[in-house]
Structures are given as C-alpha cells and as structure tokens.
Amino acid sequence: MMNRYKKDVWIDTHKVHLMCLLASGMFRNRLCSEPDLLAITLSLLPTRYSNVEKGCINLSYLSLLLKWFRQTFTLNPSLPYEECPDPQALLERRLASLSARNHQELTHLFLLILRSLQLFCRLVLSLQPIPLKPPSAKGKAAGTSPPKKSQEMSKSSSPKVSPGTKRPAEGRNIKGGKKAKRKEKKEEEEEEEEKSVSSGGQKPKNSKRRSVASKVSYKEESNSDGDGDEEEERLSEEEFQATSEEDSEDSERGVKSTKGKKTKRKSEAKGKNSKGSVAPKRKSGGGKKQIKDEEEEEDDEEEGIVNNGTKKSGEKKEGPGVDEWLEVYLEKTSSWVCVHVEKGVGMPHLCSQNATAPVTYVVSVDGDGFLKDLGRKYDPTWMTSSRKRRIDDEWWKETLEPFLGPEDERDIKEEKELQNKLLNKPLPISIGEYKNHPLYALKRHLLKYEAIYPPTATTLGYCRGEPVYSRDCVHTLHSRDTWLKEARTVRLGEEPYKMVKGFSNRSRKARMMAELKEENDLPLFGEWQTEEYQPPIAVDGKVPRNDYGNVYLFKPCMLPVGCVHLQLPNLHRVARKLNLDAAPAVTGFDFHGGYSHAVTDGYIVCEEHEEVLRAAWVEEQELQKQKEKEKKEKRAISNWTLLVKGLLIRERLKQRYGKKTHGLGTLAHGDDAGGFSSDEDLVEDGSNGSKTASETLAMSWPQNRQAEEDGGSGSGLKKKTTKREKRGQQQHLFPFEKV
C-alpha cells in the first residue's frame, strides 16, 4: 500500500509539473502578443521585409529574415541575470540593446518580429517534466559506483602478450639447450637490427607504442593468415616466447630498470620481431601498414581518454538542449514551416535532435492562446518508447480539451499529413517496439482476451521471421456473460473463437473437481459472432425474469417490452400489498469479499400498473412520515418524563439526607425564594448566609405542601388522610421505605 501511495503521489506530481509548464508557455506566448512590444519590433524592421504581402512569403523570405535577425541581434550570455524581472520590461530592454541573454529570449524576440508582420505563427515547446516513473535504486547505485565491466573490458581490449610473461620464471620447466638456441637467435637478430639502423633507418620515437603494436600485429597475422606457411607462425610464436623469457629473467635477477630502459628493450624486441623474421617482403610491408593504423587507433583512444570520453561532434549532445522553436504558416503553400533560431528554416529533425533528450511532450501555442499536441510530428519515438514515458492519453486529451481551438480546414489538412507521415514510416526493427504499438502488432504480444481476425489477415511484413499484422486486425474477445453486459448475445450455432482459463471462483472450483485441471474452460467470442440483445415481452401483467428472479438492465435498451423502470425505494412492499408484480433491476456487479454481488437500482413493473403503484407509494410514504413523527413525539415525552422524575428523586434524597436546619415553617417565609437546590449554593464554612437544600425545598412542590401539613400538625391540628392519599404518598417512596 505504501508503494502504491508513493506511485500515485509521483504520478500526480508529474501531472502538476506538466500543467505548470503549460501555464508558463501560455504566459510567455501571450507576452509576445503585447501591442507595445509589437510596435517597437516593427519599428526596427527594414522596409524591404515589412512591405511584403502575405501571399508572397515563402521559405527564401523566412531564411533572409532569419539571416538579418542573426546579424542584428546578438547572443550575449554575460548580460546581468535578474531573479524577479518584469517580463515585458525585460523584453523592451533586450529590443533596445539588440541582444539576448539565452536562446529562449532570442526565440521570443524572433516571435515578436513574425507577429509584428501579421504572420500566423505559433510557439512550439518541448516540455520536460519530472519522469513519469521514479528512478530505480539499481540505477542510482550504478550511477554512483564506478562500472566494473568497463574496467574489465578496457583490460581485455589492451594488447595481450604471451601468457608466459605473467608467470614466475621458477614455474617454467625449460631446458637449457632450447634457451641457449633462442639466445643465439636473439643475438643474431640484434646484429641485423644494428646494421639496418646504421644503414639509414631511424628508430621509432615511441618505442613502447611500437612494441605493443608489433606484438598485436603479429598475433593478428597469425590468426588471420590461417593458410600461410607453418614456418612463419612457428617463428612468430618463438619470438613471442623469447621476449617473455627475457622479461622473466629480469624478474629473477631482481634488476630494477628505469622506464627508458624498458622502452629501449621493447623497441629492440620489436626490431627483432619485425626485421629479424624470415617473412617475405609483401608481408613486412603489410606489417608496417598495420603498425601505422594501430598507432592512429591508439592515438584516438588516448585522445578519448584525455577528453574524458566526450562524444564526437556529429553525435547528439547530452544535457539540456533547446526546447523552444517556432512554426509559421505559409498561405502560399498551405503548410507549416518550422523555424529554429540557430539551425535554420524548414528542418524539423534538427529541432528534435537539439532538444533536451528524451523528447516526450511537444505542444504549440498560437497567437490566440490555443494549444495543439505536436508530439507525432517532432518525437521520433512517439509510437515506440515515448509512449512509456507519457501520461495516460485520456487524461492528456481531457487536460488539453479546454484549450483546443476550433477545427478548421488548416487543422484537418495538418492531421492528415501527420497521419500519413506515421503510416509511411518503416516497420520497427526490434521486437520490443511492437508491444502496444498503435499501428502494428505481433502474435506474441496479444493479451489473453485478444485475437487476430480474420485468420487470413494481410501480413504487412516480418520481424525476425514473425509476421507483422495491422493493429486494426486485433480484436477484443469476451465471454457470453460479458457480451450480455454490452447488450449483445452470441448467435446460435457459433463456435468459440478462442478458449482460455476462467478466473472466477466457480470456474476455478470446477477445474479442481475435474480430471483435466489445466483445461481451458471459458469460451470467448468476437463481436462479429454476436447480435443485438432482444428484450423479452411482458404478458398478463407478469414481468419476464431471469433464472435468479430479477431483470438484467445493463443498458437502457434491455428493458423488457411493455415494462417501465421505476427508481422508487421499497416499491416491492407496496406491490406485494396490492398483489402486483415488480422485479428488481440489476444494473451491474460489485466485486468485494472475494465474490461478485449484484447491484440493483429500482424495480421493473408493467406499464398498466405504473400509476397505481406510484399513487400507492406516495400514500405509503405519507403514512411512514406520520408514524415517524408520532414516534419522535413519543420519544420526546418519555425523555422529559424521565428527566422530571430524576430531578424530583434528587431533591427528595437531599431533603432526607442533607443538612438539617431550624425548621421548614420559618424558612418558608424568608426574604428570597429559591428554586431547586444546587450543590453550588452550599458554603464550606457553614454560615447561614446561603440557602440550604431544605430551604429551597420549602418553596418547591410537592414537598412544600407536605411541609405545610407537617407545620399544621405541629400546631395541634390533626387531619385524617384517606386511603387514596396514603396510596399516592407511597408512590413517591422507595421500595425499602414502604411498610
């Protein structure tokens, strides 16, 4: 759940960033339509450009205009940077100084020039929000740690010397006779080399490089010239072994030679290998040529190392690129022409190449503020890898919908050109590019409920031996129940187009009980095997039901003939009282608790019973409201009764068990009259200034009447109490107080 939450937050951040970039582009586009800026720009234009009619404007005119713009306005990155500048005032200062700080300002200035000439143009933006998917932990670790494979490859790519050089001399079992013979050969080769040098030959300047190149060239010759003389191969191997043995002897003696001595020894070994061999002249000339080529390659490799592995100038640059350019509509040719301030006019491929990689969202904003998605035009991987980097197409279309302009002939023609451009592109080469491709499909990428129809569909080509089909031939299949939800039924006598395993609990349990547990038990059908649903007819006031006693109403067209759908709650109770038929309407299914549950909405009744049921339902609702009102009043009265009885019991308890005073008679004639007693009226110090519970009780009912009776009895007057009064007095007593 945490990963899902983080993923949703990341996607929402991607959407918000994308909309912020859209808003920024729309703001800058609106700024380039300000009348004051357009007037200033028009005053800077020469008359030869401002007096041209729109119908005569073509590519050459735009090229000349762009050339004048480059000569007039300069790109000066050293201009002061302002953190919170006024955009309009900043552009005014740039027009006054005829300079721009970066490519973005340069594009805005040229856009002002085009709009001052009343040309219909739009600003194209390559939006670069945060990536749709967060970078993986593996990618981060790979970016921080040095790549081991590259080090291993560099080691393996270095020229290999004979394997005996790295082994200690003690580990070799070489006889002294062979060693002596090789030493004699070596001395003879050294004498021949000295003769050749004294005769006018010069030693190579970089002996180390020459020695390595000579060893590599000999190894390549031995591998490539497999049909040559065995004697030459044997001699070359012996020479390699001689050099390795010489190195091993030095290591045994423990002599520490300097770098110059090492290079000298290697150059001598190279001279022995190249001139002391008994190879024909043709081969020696080829060896020199190979040495030169290998030297040039090594020079290139060293330059690459010095330059920190920088790419060639012809390849695409890394890092942030130019993400803004312009498009101008030419009425003469009825087409859009892209204009890049640095690269030129009419080269859309250069615009996408110089943009920040990868190109994901390309949007244009015209002079009226309307947006248009131009990803198909400028994104070279729009149909393949770019689809994985883009947000859901439905959300993207819904976001751009409020800002789309009215569709006219210009837009219709542009859409056709873009569609033809996509269709004319060659087929993808790799198999991975065919997955979810909008135009092409392979059988291996078909999903569980997908199939190619017709079976004899035209093959558009082949990719590694697999036939490529059009995406229009890929159809989605469904089971009988799923087609019923779409208000379609499978025709009688149709055979399943495909058999798969069912995923429902019922299908799974049926497979477990059967002998063949891996059998495909769910038949699938295509739309060409179905027909529209024919609803049943109601007869004699009875609603036609399914096997479960309800009516399927997934679509409005599935309503039985002669019936109506009443969305009134508890209508079946009224229909049962009136002895009329009403069936619940099933509008869908909800999956929870591991099972599928039907979702009902209203009831299906016959048309002749509609008015009667509606009137009876309204009357039933009135009765229900009256009952609810009476129930509410009864509950309120019972609550008040309970509250009053509780207060009376509380005061009686305080009268009997509270603090005793002088008498109730004198307290009844006090200056102040009190209500019910309260614990807050008692004073902690016991003073008579505040009323006690008995004083308050003397003014209350029915205790005050009882107090008067007690006072009368104290004065000598005796009054008889009847049985009814005694019975009434006993009602206020607790059970343990009754005698």
Side-chain angles (χ1 to χ4, degrees), residues 233-280:
E233 294 179 358
R234 183 177 56 79
L235 288 174
S236 63
E237 291 177 359
E238 289 177 357
E239 287 163 0
F240 271 111
Q241 290 177 0
T243 56
S244 63
E245 288 170 359
E246 185 180 355
D247 295 337
S248 64
E249 288 174 0
D250 293 340
S251 63
E252 287 178 356
R253 295 166 189 162
V255 179
K256 297 182 180 180
S257 60
T258 59
K259 189 175 181 181
K261 291 182 180 179
K262 286 183 179 180
T263 55
K264 183 178 180 181
R265 187 176 61 219
K266 289 182 180 179
S267 63
E268 290 175 356
K270 174 254 169 187
K272 291 181 248 177
N273 292 335
S274 59
K275 296 186 179 180
S277 60
V278 197

Side-chain angles (χ1 to χ4, degrees), residues 290-309:
Q290 287 180 354
I291 290 171
K292 291 181 180 179
D293 296 338
E294 287 164 358
E295 284 180 0
E296 292 175 359
E297 291 176 1
E298 288 176 357
D299 290 336
D300 295 338
E301 290 176 1
E302 288 181 358
E303 289 176 4
I305 294 171
V306 172
N307 295 334
N308 251 337

Side-chain angles (χ1 to χ4, degrees), residues 25 42 48 59 119 132 139 154 176 190 194 280 386 425 431 470 504 551 599 608 637 653 668 727 739:
L42 187 61
R48 64 178 182 274
L59 288 175
L119 295 178
L132 183 61
S154 62
E190 288 177 0
E194 289 175 0
S386 179
K425 281 188 175 182
I431 291 179
S470 174
S504 63
V551 178
V599 178
E608 56 268 21
I637 291 173
L653 290 172
R727 205 180 299 117
V739 180

